[in-house]
Amino acid sequence: MLDILQKLGLPVKEAAVYLAALELGVASPVSTVAKKAHINRTTTYDVLDQLVEKGLVVAYTHKANRYYEALPPSKLRAYLKEQQEKYGKLVQEAEK
């Protein structure tokens, strides 16, 4: 699955963190996601923030703790469609 996410355009670390969060299946603290993804905790914070921006992960705060949960792969489809439209417009502008 990791290689599929990479082929779909997610960078290696984003793919690993998204997959780890998806496999956990529940809102989890960064340390748990980092451990599952085999990525440094500090780096995982940055990667999770990028995934939140892309709409693939949601973040919750509960009692001063931050938890992250992967959204279903259907959100990945929506993100990819959005990227395709964005780059399609850029190509059209470049062709003018």
Side-chain angles (χ1 to χ4, degrees):
M1 176 81 164
L2 188 63
D3 59 329
I4 292 171
L5 293 172
Q6 289 175 289
K7 286 178 184 176
L8 291 173
L10 287 181
V12 176
K13 290 180 181 177
E14 285 185 18
V17 170
Y18 176 73
L19 185 58
L22 192 62
E23 288 174 356
L24 287 167
V26 295
S28 304
V30 172
S31 58
T32 303
V33 177
K35 213 175 278 185
K36 180 88 172 157
H38 304 288
I39 294 178
N40 177 289
R41 184 180 54 82
T42 306
T43 302
T44 303
Y45 271 109
D46 294 335
V47 172
L48 283 166
D49 287 341
Q50 293 165 354
L51 291 169
V52 167
E53 281 184 32
K54 292 179 177 180
L56 301 176
V57 169
V58 291
Y60 304 99
T61 303
H62 179 68
K63 296 185 180 181
N65 293 315
R66 195 121 165 111
Y67 297 88
Y68 295 87
E69 184 175 1
L71 294 171
S74 61
K75 293 293 183 179
L76 182 59
R77 185 180 307 130
Y79 168 74
L80 292 171
K81 183 177 179 182
E82 180 182 301
Q83 292 301 303
Q84 184 179 23
E85 290 171 2
K86 175 182 168 183
Y87 290 112
K89 288 177 185 176
L90 289 173
V91 169
Q92 286 177 343
E93 288 179 23
E95 290 175 339
K96 291 181 181 179

